[in-house]
């Protein structure tokens, strides 16, 4: 079942504020063999908040995505400023594009990631590929 | 004033990826999808084995950018398509991911870096795009 076209253009509620801890940045950097020195976070760290927004989209029963059929096809970040420890981040996701190709839904999302003051930190674009049955 | 020159070839960065890295990344990122740690689940969805998170490979590209820029906090744009999975064996040796970069152009906005990210000689990221701030 392809997704209903009405999901295109929908904006979902902001995710619950996520407080960036120094410990989490140490763990995130260490997972790639890097060392976190207390300054700016690793560039891809905002995925943690963007992922929460994508999960909310995928779990929303009114959207109709089956989680196990989803593949992360593409990810892009445009940064206004680096994330730092102590930031309180929230992501607001909009479904920008929806196409059907070969039985799969290609879902283009944009998540605006903001800080506690509502100021922009980064924009995360993700393409999710929702494979249909037999594709 | 950029520290980069158009055409400059940046030193290759080679990273070893093992199952232990993926488990740490799963915990640190919150992406607990079992295809990144369970051979059983990976097989049921038709994968040749446990694969690295696409975002793990992109994080390695970011690490290379930080190395070339002289530290974190300089990346103003980063993105790619996840075109080919990085299969990570259940052994101590793991696999090697190589990140190659060339400075494509330098403007007032920063330096655009042409990236090539490979594993076993095959490109694993499609249309990678990276910009380091001025």
């Amino acid at each position: 079942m392809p997704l209903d076209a009405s999901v295109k253009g929908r904006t979902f509620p902001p995710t619950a504020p996520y407080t960036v801890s120094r410990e989490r940045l140490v763990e995130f950097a260490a997972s790639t063999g890097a060392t976190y020195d207390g300054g700016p976070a690793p560039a891809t760290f905002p995925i943690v908040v963007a992922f929460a927004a994508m999960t909310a989209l995928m779990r929303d029963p009114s959207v109709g995505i089956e989680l196990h059929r989803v593949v992360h096809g593409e990810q892009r970040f445009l940064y206004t400023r680096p994330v730092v420890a102590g930031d309180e981040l929230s992501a607001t996701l909009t479904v920008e594009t929806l196409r059907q190709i070969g039985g799969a839904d290609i879902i283009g999302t944009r998540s605006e990631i903001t800080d506690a003051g509502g100021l922009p930190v980064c924009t995360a674009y993700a393409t999710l590929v929702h494979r249909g049955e037999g594709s | 004033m950029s520290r980069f020159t158009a055409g400059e070839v940046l030193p290759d960065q080679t990273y070893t990826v093992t199952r232990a890295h993926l488990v740490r990344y799963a915990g640190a990122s919150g992406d607990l999808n079992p295809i990144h740690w369970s051979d059983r689940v990976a097989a049921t969805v038709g994968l040749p084995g446990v694969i690295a998170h696409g975002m793990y490979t992109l994080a390695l590209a970011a690490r290379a950018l930080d190395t070339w820029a002289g530290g974190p906090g300089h990346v103003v744009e980063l993105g790619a398509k996840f075109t080919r999975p990085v299969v990570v064996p259940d052994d101590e040796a793991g696999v090697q991911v190589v990140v190659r970069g060339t400075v494509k152009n330098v403007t007032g906005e920063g330096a655009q870096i042409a990236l090539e990210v490979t594993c076993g000689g095959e490109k694993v990221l499609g249309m990678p795009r990276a910009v380091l701030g001025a």
Side-chain angles (χ1 to χ4, degrees):
Chain A
M1 272 283 283
L3 296 188
D4 193 88
S6 66
V7 71
K8 184 182 165 183
R10 262 182 79 182
T11 295
F12 290 76
T15 56
Y18 175 96
T19 303
V20 179
S21 72
R22 184 191 160 86
E23 291 77 8
R24 192 68 176 262
L25 294 178
V26 167
E27 289 170 10
F28 193 93
S31 75
T32 66
T35 306
Y36 175 66
D37 67 3
T44 62
F45 186 79
I47 195 63
V48 173
V49 186
F51 192 74
M54 286 187 260
T55 302
L57 165 76
M58 292 187 283
R59 293 211 167 127
D60 187 320
S62 73
V63 176
I65 292 176
E66 290 180 72
L67 211 53
H68 66 282
R69 296 189 187 281
V70 176
V71 175
H72 194 182
E74 181 172 1
Q75 183 68 45
R76 296 193 181 272
F77 298 98
L78 289 178
Y79 303 90
T80 306
R81 68 162 175 89
V83 170
V84 292
D87 271 337
E88 202 173 88
L89 301 177
S90 178
T92 304
L93 181 145
T94 301
V95 176
E96 286 202 313
T97 59
L98 177 63
R99 294 177 294 149
Q100 267 92 28
I101 296 176
D105 301 292
I106 316 292
I107 309 158
T109 69
R110 183 187 82 242
S111 293
E112 296 294 350
I113 298 174
T114 53
D115 63 18
L119 295 173
V121 175
C122 124
T123 306
Y125 297 89
T127 304
L128 303 173
V129 181
H130 182 238
R131 291 175 298 170
E133 287 172 50
S135 69
Chain B
M1 185 64 197
S2 175
R3 73 214 84 181
F4 298 108
T5 316
E8 186 182 348
V9 177
L10 302 164
D12 288 359
Q13 304 294 313
T14 301
Y15 303 112
T16 297
V17 185
T18 66
R19 291 283 177 94
H21 288 113
L22 301 187
V23 170
R24 291 186 82 151
Y25 183 79
S29 71
D31 184 344
L32 304 176
N33 188 329
I35 63 170
H36 305 302
W37 49 265
S38 166
D39 284 297
R40 178 179 54 81
V41 175
T44 61
V45 296
L47 290 167
V50 161
I51 63 168
H53 309 70
M55 282 304 303
Y56 188 85
T57 309
L58 197 61
L60 292 178
R63 190 181 162 196
L65 290 165
D66 287 348
T67 300
W68 295 326
H74 300 285
V75 181
V76 293
E77 182 176 347
L78 177 62
K81 293 186 176 192
F82 305 120
T83 47
R84 194 180 184 89
V86 172
V87 179
V88 179
D90 183 13
D91 61 25
E92 299 297 320
V95 287
Q96 267 68 50
V97 171
V98 181
V99 185
R100 292 195 173 87
T102 306
V103 181
K104 203 167 172 183
N105 58 56
V106 180
T107 67
E109 305 296 307
Q112 190 182 342
I113 312 293
L115 286 176
E116 187 184 85
V117 182
T118 59
C119 180
E122 304 267 13
K123 285 184 193 177
V124 292
L125 295 182
M127 296 173 67
R129 188 175 155 84
V131 178
L132 289 168

